[in-house]
Amino acid sequence: MSIKQGMTNRVKRCGRTAGVLGAVLMALHGGQVLADSAAPGNWAEYHSDFRGWRFSALEQINKTNVKKLKVAWMHQSGDIRHGLHATPLAIDGVLYYSGSSNRVFALDAATGVEIWHYYAELDPIHEKSIFSFYNRGVTVGRGKVFIGTSDGHMIALDQKTGKELWKTQLIIPKNCHGCNFTSPPQLAGDMLIGGHTGGDHAQRGKIFAVKVDTGEKAWVFDTIKDDPASWPGDTGKTGGGGAWLPGQYDAKNNLFFIGTSNAAPDFDNSSRPGDNLYTASILALRPSNGELVWFHQEVPNDSWDFDSPYEFLLIEKDGESLMVHLNKGGHVTVLNRKTGKVVKVWPMAENINWVTGVDAKTGALQGRVDPVAGKSLTFCPSVLGARSWNAGAYSPNRGLWYTNAIEACNRVTMDSQVIKDLAFSQPYFGVSDFEVTNLPSGKATSRLAAYDPLTGKLAWKVEYDLPGLGGVLATAGSLVFNGDSRGWVHAYDDKNGKELWNFNTGSGIRGGIISYSAGGKQYILVPSGFGSLVPGFSSILWPEFKNVRGGSTLIAFTVE
Amino acid sequence: MLAKLTSLIALVSLGIAVNATTARAADNTDSTAGKVSITPTAEQISDPEWIQSGRKKFVKACAYCHGQEGDSGKNKAFRERIDWDPNQIHDVIANGRQSGSNVMPAWKDSIDDELIWNMVAYIRSLSGKPR
């Protein structure tokens, strides 16, 4: 019995809708990967599809039976350093994911039995990078599995065997303070596109495209604009930038959207007067040649570490192709994604004091308050952001966007930083005092919240004792799944936030929860495994972070 | 700072053995780099100039994970540590540490050993002083 034949009638109803969409997408993309992604039982891209929704059209698991969810199987990556950050992919009954140290696995999606694995051979220098071991998963398409590595390579593996097909070095970590690839490069036609870490380091960040079938370098986009008005003198050479999260390919408009990192030094913007293009910006690139079609800089001359790498929620509304984008500084910008014109800006963070506002028509910052040399100032949100990097989810059925959020601040005294005094991979912050703090009004808080993404109207929220640091899942079963930092995964009613089910996975959630179908059954797949620097840095506010155990386990749930 | 380091080198050249806690010297051979790290005296570890120099580097290099006074991180706050062996602190900074999911890179190849000892002095100055 094929996977599709095995679907329930309820799934089939969803499947018809998704099938039509799939035919359109396949025609638009002209590639196998999006034919796969259109199948409702698959989760074929990082955000499930190019729209950044993290929505599964499956509804076999729903509000009436979610209490019956049981563990079906588990898989251990075997390397728990910095935990498990991946969003797994599910394509035609096979799961693909990667964990710490660029360990890549293909599993039978119904049983968790390993089909193949690939362990990247990494240059030991990667262990000297503060962002080493971070890894957010793989990309699959055109018969290949693609990864970006901790030592600066993009690699293609045979989808069926895991055999290495090509390997291209794009960055040399020793030359860029340990900059590396922590996210999977994304497919856009014949190109594979991705950027690297580095907004917190004295380096010059770039975005690369390689040819999918050969690994040959096709083009490089410099996130530091070659313009003395943007970057006086040599400031651009150590201006940070880069792009550390996956971009998204809008095939209909033939645009690749990717958000860039902050400018460096993070807090000392006086050392780099100018707008510091193209840091802290949304870029719309032409995949074939890297042409910059449009851009929107959310934070010119950033001095708070408010970069722009988070997901793009792509929505059609009244005939207009829109993009919804959260910046770390706490504002959500709605843009026309064909032109980059700002349509609306709304504040998601409840505590924002680095600006008095953002112009709702242009996105221009209003009343900005920058760090001052030698003076201790408190800014909200903190470098943790109004949310961590883990994406929210959107339900087209409810018209709601579900996202984690953090309300915290940091105290900063800006200071000059002599570049030659930097140790390898030492953050290039430009501070003499730096501490994450509670809110001026009281204790730092966190929540899972549901918003109308176009207006910012709050539908419901659930307060969390510890910030949620995982990716959210929404399903056609009227469910929202979110993993917390203690390791509990929760299922909520997508309409009102009522909790319907939970399970303790034993380690905090940092990856992205997905849903897929295999053997006629719908599964909820939870990456469990705490890690990264954020929980440690913020343990002064949430001491329980010190006690959360690490791990790296995929846990599949289903109903009998 | 430079004068202090010069004194330290002079002490070494004279073969004077001192230890931070017992006033006896110790050599920690770094097998990777082939360098020799000399454990300073207890007086040097508590020298305000060393502590200030170490604080400056610690805030710039380490606060992102540990907080500027070691309250953050994944382990016990620095202020809650008592009888913390300076050699142990030095070893962790120099060689890094991996424990479970926690990873700290090694800094010995890009921070001078003398400055690492200054950082040790700063960290040691915080220990045993709970808030």
Side-chain angles (χ1 to χ4, degrees), chain A residues 80-82 127-128 421 424 426 431 433-435 536-537 539 546, chain B residues 55 57 59-60 63-64 67-68 71-73 75 98 101 107 109-110:
Chain A
I80 71 170
R81 285 175 287 186
H82 276 321
E127 297 202 23
K128 295 180 180 177
D421 291 342
F424 183 77
Q426 176 182 330
V431 293
D433 283 287
F434 176 44
E435 197 93 84
F537 173 61
S539 68
K546 290 176 184 283
Chain B
R55 182 189 190 282
K57 187 66 175 179
V59 170
K60 292 179 184 294
Y64 190 43
Q68 62 185 14
D71 295 298
S72 295
N75 293 303
Q98 297 186 0
S101 65
W107 297 96
D109 292 335
S110 58

PDB file of all heavy atoms in Angstrom, chain A residues 80-82 127-128 421 424 426 431 433-435 536-537 539 546, chain B residues 55 57 59-60 63-64 67-68 71-73 75 98 101 107 109-110:
ATOM      1  N   ILE A  80      25.769  14.939  21.345  1.00  0.00           N
ATOM      2  CA  ILE A  80      24.823  15.893  21.941  1.00  0.00           C
ATOM      3  C   ILE A  80      25.420  17.285  22.124  1.00  0.00           C
ATOM      4  O   ILE A  80      24.792  18.150  22.728  1.00  0.00           O
ATOM      5  CB  ILE A  80      24.287  15.382  23.295  1.00  0.00           C
ATOM      6  CG1 ILE A  80      25.380  15.416  24.382  1.00  0.00           C
ATOM      7  CG2 ILE A  80      23.699  13.993  23.149  1.00  0.00           C
ATOM      8  CD1 ILE A  80      24.823  15.155  25.781  1.00  0.00           C
ATOM      9  N   ARG A  81      26.642  17.496  21.617  1.00  0.00           N
ATOM     10  CA  ARG A  81      27.268  18.806  21.842  1.00  0.00           C
ATOM     11  C   ARG A  81      26.415  19.932  21.241  1.00  0.00           C
ATOM     12  O   ARG A  81      26.128  19.932  20.063  1.00  0.00           O
ATOM     13  CB  ARG A  81      28.685  18.808  21.265  1.00  0.00           C
ATOM     14  CG  ARG A  81      29.648  18.022  22.153  1.00  0.00           C
ATOM     15  CD  ARG A  81      31.020  17.914  21.527  1.00  0.00           C
ATOM     16  NE  ARG A  81      31.024  16.983  20.402  1.00  0.00           N
ATOM     17  CZ  ARG A  81      32.124  16.619  19.757  1.00  0.00           C
ATOM     18  NH1 ARG A  81      33.289  17.103  20.111  1.00  0.00           N
ATOM     19  NH2 ARG A  81      32.046  15.772  18.749  1.00  0.00           N
ATOM     20  N   HIS A  82      26.010  20.837  22.099  1.00  0.00           N
ATOM     21  CA  HIS A  82      25.096  21.945  21.776  1.00  0.00           C
ATOM     22  C   HIS A  82      23.701  21.468  21.393  1.00  0.00           C
ATOM     23  O   HIS A  82      22.892  22.246  20.860  1.00  0.00           O
ATOM     24  CB  HIS A  82      25.660  22.887  20.720  1.00  0.00           C
ATOM     25  CG  HIS A  82      26.583  23.931  21.295  1.00  0.00           C
ATOM     26  ND1 HIS A  82      26.356  24.553  22.502  1.00  0.00           N
ATOM     27  CD2 HIS A  82      27.748  24.463  20.831  1.00  0.00           C
ATOM     28  CE1 HIS A  82      27.322  25.424  22.745  1.00  0.00           C
ATOM     29  NE2 HIS A  82      28.191  25.371  21.776  1.00  0.00           N
ATOM     30  N   GLU A 127      36.202  23.510  16.128  1.00  0.00           N
ATOM     31  CA  GLU A 127      35.915  23.427  17.559  1.00  0.00           C
ATOM     32  C   GLU A 127      36.350  24.685  18.312  1.00  0.00           C
ATOM     33  O   GLU A 127      36.014  24.861  19.481  1.00  0.00           O
ATOM     34  CB  GLU A 127      36.582  22.188  18.171  1.00  0.00           C
ATOM     35  CG  GLU A 127      36.042  20.894  17.592  1.00  0.00           C
ATOM     36  CD  GLU A 127      36.277  19.703  18.509  1.00  0.00           C
ATOM     37  OE1 GLU A 127      36.443  19.912  19.725  1.00  0.00           O
ATOM     38  OE2 GLU A 127      36.296  18.571  17.997  1.00  0.00           O
ATOM     39  N   LYS A 128      37.119  25.540  17.652  1.00  0.00           N
ATOM     40  CA  LYS A 128      37.544  26.782  18.296  1.00  0.00           C
ATOM     41  C   LYS A 128      36.553  27.925  18.063  1.00  0.00           C
ATOM     42  O   LYS A 128      36.748  29.022  18.579  1.00  0.00           O
ATOM     43  CB  LYS A 128      38.936  27.177  17.803  1.00  0.00           C
ATOM     44  CG  LYS A 128      40.000  26.173  18.212  1.00  0.00           C
ATOM     45  CD  LYS A 128      41.367  26.574  17.714  1.00  0.00           C
ATOM     46  CE  LYS A 128      42.403  25.534  18.149  1.00  0.00           C
ATOM     47  NZ  LYS A 128      43.745  25.839  17.624  1.00  0.00           N
ATOM     48  N   ASP A 421      43.445  43.016  19.328  1.00  0.00           N
ATOM     49  CA  ASP A 421      43.407  42.365  20.635  1.00  0.00           C
ATOM     50  C   ASP A 421      42.382  41.239  20.718  1.00  0.00           C
ATOM     51  O   ASP A 421      42.251  40.581  21.755  1.00  0.00           O
ATOM     52  CB  ASP A 421      43.088  43.393  21.734  1.00  0.00           C
ATOM     53  CG  ASP A 421      44.239  44.368  21.947  1.00  0.00           C
ATOM     54  OD1 ASP A 421      45.364  44.056  21.514  1.00  0.00           O
ATOM     55  OD2 ASP A 421      44.001  45.444  22.536  1.00  0.00           O
ATOM     56  N   PHE A 424      40.759  34.536  18.790  1.00  0.00           N
ATOM     57  CA  PHE A 424      40.058  33.851  17.709  1.00  0.00           C
ATOM     58  C   PHE A 424      38.623  33.534  18.132  1.00  0.00           C
ATOM     59  O   PHE A 424      38.391  32.926  19.179  1.00  0.00           O
ATOM     60  CB  PHE A 424      40.784  32.550  17.345  1.00  0.00           C
ATOM     61  CG  PHE A 424      40.155  31.828  16.186  1.00  0.00           C
ATOM     62  CD1 PHE A 424      40.364  32.276  14.892  1.00  0.00           C
ATOM     63  CD2 PHE A 424      39.350  30.731  16.393  1.00  0.00           C
ATOM     64  CE1 PHE A 424      39.784  31.619  13.811  1.00  0.00           C
ATOM     65  CE2 PHE A 424      38.766  30.068  15.327  1.00  0.00           C
ATOM     66  CZ  PHE A 424      38.979  30.514  14.032  1.00  0.00           C
ATOM     67  N   GLN A 426      36.520  35.447  19.277  1.00  0.00           N
ATOM     68  CA  GLN A 426      36.008  36.291  20.365  1.00  0.00           C
ATOM     69  C   GLN A 426      34.935  37.216  19.812  1.00  0.00           C
ATOM     70  O   GLN A 426      35.120  37.835  18.765  1.00  0.00           O
ATOM     71  CB  GLN A 426      37.133  37.134  20.964  1.00  0.00           C
ATOM     72  CG  GLN A 426      36.658  38.113  22.031  1.00  0.00           C
ATOM     73  CD  GLN A 426      37.792  38.979  22.583  1.00  0.00           C
ATOM     74  OE1 GLN A 426      38.938  38.550  22.632  1.00  0.00           O
ATOM     75  NE2 GLN A 426      37.470  40.189  23.001  1.00  0.00           N
ATOM     76  N   VAL A 431      31.981  46.415  24.054  1.00  0.00           N
ATOM     77  CA  VAL A 431      31.370  46.705  25.363  1.00  0.00           C
ATOM     78  C   VAL A 431      32.434  46.639  26.459  1.00  0.00           C
ATOM     79  O   VAL A 431      33.444  45.941  26.334  1.00  0.00           O
ATOM     80  CB  VAL A 431      30.253  45.700  25.715  1.00  0.00           C
ATOM     81  CG1 VAL A 431      29.067  45.848  24.779  1.00  0.00           C
ATOM     82  CG2 VAL A 431      30.772  44.260  25.709  1.00  0.00           C
ATOM     83  N   ASP A 433      30.817  46.633  29.721  1.00  0.00           N
ATOM     84  CA  ASP A 433      29.890  45.955  30.628  1.00  0.00           C
ATOM     85  C   ASP A 433      28.724  45.441  29.803  1.00  0.00           C
ATOM     86  O   ASP A 433      28.235  46.129  28.900  1.00  0.00           O
ATOM     87  CB  ASP A 433      29.365  46.912  31.713  1.00  0.00           C
ATOM     88  CG  ASP A 433      30.390  47.159  32.811  1.00  0.00           C
ATOM     89  OD1 ASP A 433      30.623  46.258  33.624  1.00  0.00           O
ATOM     90  OD2 ASP A 433      30.968  48.255  32.805  1.00  0.00           O
ATOM     91  N   PHE A 434      28.268  44.247  30.156  1.00  0.00           N
ATOM     92  CA  PHE A 434      27.253  43.609  29.310  1.00  0.00           C
ATOM     93  C   PHE A 434      26.578  42.507  30.117  1.00  0.00           C
ATOM     94  O   PHE A 434      27.224  41.534  30.520  1.00  0.00           O
ATOM     95  CB  PHE A 434      27.940  43.029  28.075  1.00  0.00           C
ATOM     96  CG  PHE A 434      27.042  42.260  27.154  1.00  0.00           C
ATOM     97  CD1 PHE A 434      25.786  42.729  26.817  1.00  0.00           C
ATOM     98  CD2 PHE A 434      27.466  41.063  26.603  1.00  0.00           C
ATOM     99  CE1 PHE A 434      24.971  42.017  25.952  1.00  0.00           C
ATOM    100  CE2 PHE A 434      26.675  40.345  25.736  1.00  0.00           C
ATOM    101  CZ  PHE A 434      25.422  40.834  25.411  1.00  0.00           C
ATOM    102  N   GLU A 435      25.294  42.649  30.372  1.00  0.00           N
ATOM    103  CA  GLU A 435      24.577  41.649  31.172  1.00  0.00           C
ATOM    104  C   GLU A 435      23.105  41.647  30.772  1.00  0.00           C
ATOM    105  O   GLU A 435      22.497  42.709  30.614  1.00  0.00           O
ATOM    106  CB  GLU A 435      24.679  41.995  32.663  1.00  0.00           C
ATOM    107  CG  GLU A 435      24.333  40.847  33.585  1.00  0.00           C
ATOM    108  CD  GLU A 435      25.564  40.035  33.999  1.00  0.00           C
ATOM    109  OE1 GLU A 435      26.243  40.436  34.956  1.00  0.00           O
ATOM    110  OE2 GLU A 435      25.828  39.006  33.361  1.00  0.00           O
ATOM    111  N   GLY A 536      22.771  29.355  28.526  1.00  0.00           N
ATOM    112  CA  GLY A 536      23.813  29.672  29.495  1.00  0.00           C
ATOM    113  C   GLY A 536      23.886  31.159  29.768  1.00  0.00           C
ATOM    114  O   GLY A 536      23.907  31.611  30.906  1.00  0.00           O
ATOM    115  N   PHE A 537      23.889  31.935  28.689  1.00  0.00           N
ATOM    116  CA  PHE A 537      23.989  33.388  28.830  1.00  0.00           C
ATOM    117  C   PHE A 537      22.831  33.946  29.658  1.00  0.00           C
ATOM    118  O   PHE A 537      23.003  34.868  30.457  1.00  0.00           O
ATOM    119  CB  PHE A 537      24.008  34.021  27.442  1.00  0.00           C
ATOM    120  CG  PHE A 537      23.931  35.516  27.449  1.00  0.00           C
ATOM    121  CD1 PHE A 537      24.924  36.258  28.062  1.00  0.00           C
ATOM    122  CD2 PHE A 537      22.876  36.177  26.848  1.00  0.00           C
ATOM    123  CE1 PHE A 537      24.862  37.648  28.073  1.00  0.00           C
ATOM    124  CE2 PHE A 537      22.808  37.559  26.856  1.00  0.00           C
ATOM    125  CZ  PHE A 537      23.800  38.301  27.468  1.00  0.00           C
ATOM    126  N   SER A 539      21.014  32.339  31.912  1.00  0.00           N
ATOM    127  CA  SER A 539      20.709  31.633  33.167  1.00  0.00           C
ATOM    128  C   SER A 539      20.738  32.569  34.369  1.00  0.00           C
ATOM    129  O   SER A 539      20.259  32.214  35.445  1.00  0.00           O
ATOM    130  CB  SER A 539      21.673  30.450  33.374  1.00  0.00           C
ATOM    131  OG  SER A 539      22.980  30.906  33.619  1.00  0.00           O
ATOM    132  N   LYS A 546      20.471  26.247  34.019  1.00  0.00           N
ATOM    133  CA  LYS A 546      21.704  25.547  34.386  1.00  0.00           C
ATOM    134  C   LYS A 546      21.473  24.042  34.549  1.00  0.00           C
ATOM    135  O   LYS A 546      22.404  23.248  34.441  1.00  0.00           O
ATOM    136  CB  LYS A 546      22.262  26.115  35.700  1.00  0.00           C
ATOM    137  CG  LYS A 546      22.820  27.533  35.605  1.00  0.00           C
ATOM    138  CD  LYS A 546      23.258  28.010  36.979  1.00  0.00           C
ATOM    139  CE  LYS A 546      23.729  29.459  36.973  1.00  0.00           C
ATOM    140  NZ  LYS A 546      25.065  29.648  36.417  1.00  0.00           N
TER     141      LYS A 546
ATOM    142  N   ARG B  55      39.457  41.259  34.172  1.00  0.00           N
ATOM    143  CA  ARG B  55      38.043  41.615  34.026  1.00  0.00           C
ATOM    144  C   ARG B  55      37.767  42.197  32.646  1.00  0.00           C
ATOM    145  O   ARG B  55      36.774  41.848  31.992  1.00  0.00           O
ATOM    146  CB  ARG B  55      37.614  42.621  35.096  1.00  0.00           C
ATOM    147  CG  ARG B  55      36.144  42.981  35.014  1.00  0.00           C
ATOM    148  CD  ARG B  55      35.744  44.132  35.912  1.00  0.00           C
ATOM    149  NE  ARG B  55      34.307  44.264  35.952  1.00  0.00           N
ATOM    150  CZ  ARG B  55      33.573  44.836  34.985  1.00  0.00           C
ATOM    151  NH1 ARG B  55      34.168  45.332  33.920  1.00  0.00           N
ATOM    152  NH2 ARG B  55      32.258  44.903  35.091  1.00  0.00           N
ATOM    153  N   LYS B  57      39.258  41.715  29.826  1.00  0.00           N
ATOM    154  CA  LYS B  57      39.225  40.684  28.785  1.00  0.00           C
ATOM    155  C   LYS B  57      38.031  39.754  28.970  1.00  0.00           C
ATOM    156  O   LYS B  57      37.387  39.338  27.995  1.00  0.00           O
ATOM    157  CB  LYS B  57      40.522  39.873  28.817  1.00  0.00           C
ATOM    158  CG  LYS B  57      40.659  38.886  27.657  1.00  0.00           C
ATOM    159  CD  LYS B  57      40.785  39.606  26.324  1.00  0.00           C
ATOM    160  CE  LYS B  57      41.042  38.635  25.183  1.00  0.00           C
ATOM    161  NZ  LYS B  57      41.149  39.341  23.883  1.00  0.00           N
ATOM    162  N   VAL B  59      35.050  40.327  30.247  1.00  0.00           N
ATOM    163  CA  VAL B  59      33.785  40.929  29.807  1.00  0.00           C
ATOM    164  C   VAL B  59      33.700  40.910  28.284  1.00  0.00           C
ATOM    165  O   VAL B  59      32.657  40.602  27.706  1.00  0.00           O
ATOM    166  CB  VAL B  59      33.639  42.363  30.348  1.00  0.00           C
ATOM    167  CG1 VAL B  59      32.456  43.066  29.694  1.00  0.00           C
ATOM    168  CG2 VAL B  59      33.482  42.340  31.852  1.00  0.00           C
ATOM    169  N   LYS B  60      34.794  41.193  27.625  1.00  0.00           N
ATOM    170  CA  LYS B  60      34.772  41.256  26.168  1.00  0.00           C
ATOM    171  C   LYS B  60      34.731  39.874  25.513  1.00  0.00           C
ATOM    172  O   LYS B  60      34.150  39.711  24.443  1.00  0.00           O
ATOM    173  CB  LYS B  60      35.986  42.033  25.657  1.00  0.00           C
ATOM    174  CG  LYS B  60      35.943  43.534  26.000  1.00  0.00           C
ATOM    175  CD  LYS B  60      37.186  44.241  25.499  1.00  0.00           C
ATOM    176  CE  LYS B  60      37.210  45.701  25.924  1.00  0.00           C
ATOM    177  NZ  LYS B  60      36.155  46.523  25.335  1.00  0.00           N
ATOM    178  N   ALA B  63      31.705  37.179  28.544  1.00  0.00           N
ATOM    179  CA  ALA B  63      30.403  37.542  29.115  1.00  0.00           C
ATOM    180  C   ALA B  63      29.246  37.027  28.290  1.00  0.00           C
ATOM    181  O   ALA B  63      28.146  36.815  28.820  1.00  0.00           O
ATOM    182  CB  ALA B  63      30.308  39.068  29.254  1.00  0.00           C
ATOM    183  N   TYR B  64      29.473  36.795  27.000  1.00  0.00           N
ATOM    184  CA  TYR B  64      28.405  36.309  26.124  1.00  0.00           C
ATOM    185  C   TYR B  64      27.848  34.979  26.632  1.00  0.00           C
ATOM    186  O   TYR B  64      26.681  34.657  26.405  1.00  0.00           O
ATOM    187  CB  TYR B  64      28.951  36.165  24.710  1.00  0.00           C
ATOM    188  CG  TYR B  64      27.918  35.899  23.647  1.00  0.00           C
ATOM    189  CD1 TYR B  64      26.711  36.584  23.632  1.00  0.00           C
ATOM    190  CD2 TYR B  64      28.159  34.982  22.639  1.00  0.00           C
ATOM    191  CE1 TYR B  64      25.769  36.351  22.657  1.00  0.00           C
ATOM    192  CE2 TYR B  64      27.222  34.750  21.643  1.00  0.00           C
ATOM    193  CZ  TYR B  64      26.027  35.439  21.654  1.00  0.00           C
ATOM    194  OH  TYR B  64      25.096  35.199  20.669  1.00  0.00           O
ATOM    195  N   GLY B  67      28.111  35.719  31.495  1.00  0.00           N
ATOM    196  CA  GLY B  67      27.753  36.942  32.195  1.00  0.00           C
ATOM    197  C   GLY B  67      29.032  37.626  32.643  1.00  0.00           C
ATOM    198  O   GLY B  67      30.090  37.004  32.754  1.00  0.00           O
ATOM    199  N   GLN B  68      28.959  38.909  32.911  1.00  0.00           N
ATOM    200  CA  GLN B  68      30.216  39.630  33.154  1.00  0.00           C
ATOM    201  C   GLN B  68      30.834  39.307  34.502  1.00  0.00           C
ATOM    202  O   GLN B  68      32.014  39.568  34.732  1.00  0.00           O
ATOM    203  CB  GLN B  68      30.013  41.122  33.001  1.00  0.00           C
ATOM    204  CG  GLN B  68      29.043  41.737  33.967  1.00  0.00           C
ATOM    205  CD  GLN B  68      28.828  43.209  33.649  1.00  0.00           C
ATOM    206  OE1 GLN B  68      29.202  43.678  32.577  1.00  0.00           O
ATOM    207  NE2 GLN B  68      28.245  43.930  34.577  1.00  0.00           N
ATOM    208  N   ASP B  71      27.819  34.907  36.723  1.00  0.00           N
ATOM    209  CA  ASP B  71      26.551  34.414  37.271  1.00  0.00           C
ATOM    210  C   ASP B  71      25.814  33.534  36.279  1.00  0.00           C
ATOM    211  O   ASP B  71      24.995  32.705  36.671  1.00  0.00           O
ATOM    212  CB  ASP B  71      25.651  35.600  37.653  1.00  0.00           C
ATOM    213  CG  ASP B  71      26.234  36.417  38.786  1.00  0.00           C
ATOM    214  OD1 ASP B  71      26.401  35.858  39.876  1.00  0.00           O
ATOM    215  OD2 ASP B  71      26.536  37.606  38.570  1.00  0.00           O
ATOM    216  N   SER B  72      26.085  33.737  34.994  1.00  0.00           N
ATOM    217  CA  SER B  72      25.410  32.954  33.964  1.00  0.00           C
ATOM    218  C   SER B  72      26.200  31.682  33.684  1.00  0.00           C
ATOM    219  O   SER B  72      26.992  31.244  34.507  1.00  0.00           O
ATOM    220  CB  SER B  72      25.244  33.805  32.701  1.00  0.00           C
ATOM    221  OG  SER B  72      24.389  34.889  32.947  1.00  0.00           O
ATOM    222  N   GLY B  73      26.006  31.127  32.492  1.00  0.00           N
ATOM    223  CA  GLY B  73      26.663  29.869  32.174  1.00  0.00           C
ATOM    224  C   GLY B  73      25.826  28.683  32.619  1.00  0.00           C
ATOM    225  O   GLY B  73      24.718  28.818  33.128  1.00  0.00           O
ATOM    226  N   ASN B  75      27.011  26.257  34.717  1.00  0.00           N
ATOM    227  CA  ASN B  75      27.479  25.673  35.966  1.00  0.00           C
ATOM    228  C   ASN B  75      27.260  26.628  37.131  1.00  0.00           C
ATOM    229  O   ASN B  75      26.659  27.689  36.983  1.00  0.00           O
ATOM    230  CB  ASN B  75      28.962  25.303  35.847  1.00  0.00           C
ATOM    231  CG  ASN B  75      29.175  24.174  34.857  1.00  0.00           C
ATOM    232  OD1 ASN B  75      28.602  23.105  35.014  1.00  0.00           O
ATOM    233  ND2 ASN B  75      29.966  24.421  33.829  1.00  0.00           N
ATOM    234  N   GLN B  98      34.432  20.320  27.326  1.00  0.00           N
ATOM    235  CA  GLN B  98      33.205  19.762  26.782  1.00  0.00           C
ATOM    236  C   GLN B  98      32.615  18.831  27.814  1.00  0.00           C
ATOM    237  O   GLN B  98      33.272  17.902  28.284  1.00  0.00           O
ATOM    238  CB  GLN B  98      33.473  19.005  25.478  1.00  0.00           C
ATOM    239  CG  GLN B  98      34.012  19.925  24.369  1.00  0.00           C
ATOM    240  CD  GLN B  98      34.136  19.233  23.032  1.00  0.00           C
ATOM    241  OE1 GLN B  98      33.822  18.066  22.890  1.00  0.00           O
ATOM    242  NE2 GLN B  98      34.601  19.966  22.035  1.00  0.00           N
ATOM    243  N   SER B 101      26.216  18.437  26.731  1.00  0.00           N
ATOM    244  CA  SER B 101      25.952  19.289  25.565  1.00  0.00           C
ATOM    245  C   SER B 101      26.707  20.610  25.632  1.00  0.00           C
ATOM    246  O   SER B 101      26.680  21.387  24.683  1.00  0.00           O
ATOM    247  CB  SER B 101      24.449  19.564  25.459  1.00  0.00           C
ATOM    248  OG  SER B 101      24.010  20.318  26.561  1.00  0.00           O
ATOM    249  N   TRP B 107      41.114  28.553  24.302  1.00  0.00           N
ATOM    250  CA  TRP B 107      41.544  29.921  23.967  1.00  0.00           C
ATOM    251  C   TRP B 107      43.065  30.075  23.967  1.00  0.00           C
ATOM    252  O   TRP B 107      43.581  31.161  23.715  1.00  0.00           O
ATOM    253  CB  TRP B 107      40.943  30.915  24.968  1.00  0.00           C
ATOM    254  CG  TRP B 107      39.454  30.965  24.928  1.00  0.00           C
ATOM    255  CD1 TRP B 107      38.582  30.291  25.734  1.00  0.00           C
ATOM    256  CD2 TRP B 107      38.623  31.720  24.024  1.00  0.00           C
ATOM    257  NE1 TRP B 107      37.271  30.573  25.402  1.00  0.00           N
ATOM    258  CE2 TRP B 107      37.280  31.458  24.347  1.00  0.00           C
ATOM    259  CE3 TRP B 107      38.905  32.598  22.967  1.00  0.00           C
ATOM    260  CZ2 TRP B 107      36.205  32.029  23.660  1.00  0.00           C
ATOM    261  CZ3 TRP B 107      37.833  33.170  22.275  1.00  0.00           C
ATOM    262  CH2 TRP B 107      36.512  32.889  22.625  1.00  0.00           C
ATOM    263  N   ASP B 109      45.442  29.330  22.033  1.00  0.00           N
ATOM    264  CA  ASP B 109      46.166  29.702  20.823  1.00  0.00           C
ATOM    265  C   ASP B 109      45.991  31.163  20.444  1.00  0.00           C
ATOM    266  O   ASP B 109      46.667  31.654  19.529  1.00  0.00           O
ATOM    267  CB  ASP B 109      45.706  28.822  19.646  1.00  0.00           C
ATOM    268  CG  ASP B 109      46.146  27.386  19.830  1.00  0.00           C
ATOM    269  OD1 ASP B 109      47.142  27.161  20.551  1.00  0.00           O
ATOM    270  OD2 ASP B 109      45.484  26.485  19.276  1.00  0.00           O
ATOM    271  N   SER B 110      45.066  31.845  21.116  1.00  0.00           N
ATOM    272  CA  SER B 110      44.847  33.236  20.704  1.00  0.00           C
ATOM    273  C   SER B 110      44.751  34.217  21.868  1.00  0.00           C
ATOM    274  O   SER B 110      44.533  35.402  21.640  1.00  0.00           O
ATOM    275  CB  SER B 110      43.591  33.340  19.831  1.00  0.00           C
ATOM    276  OG  SER B 110      42.454  32.872  20.505  1.00  0.00           O
TER     277      SER B 110
END
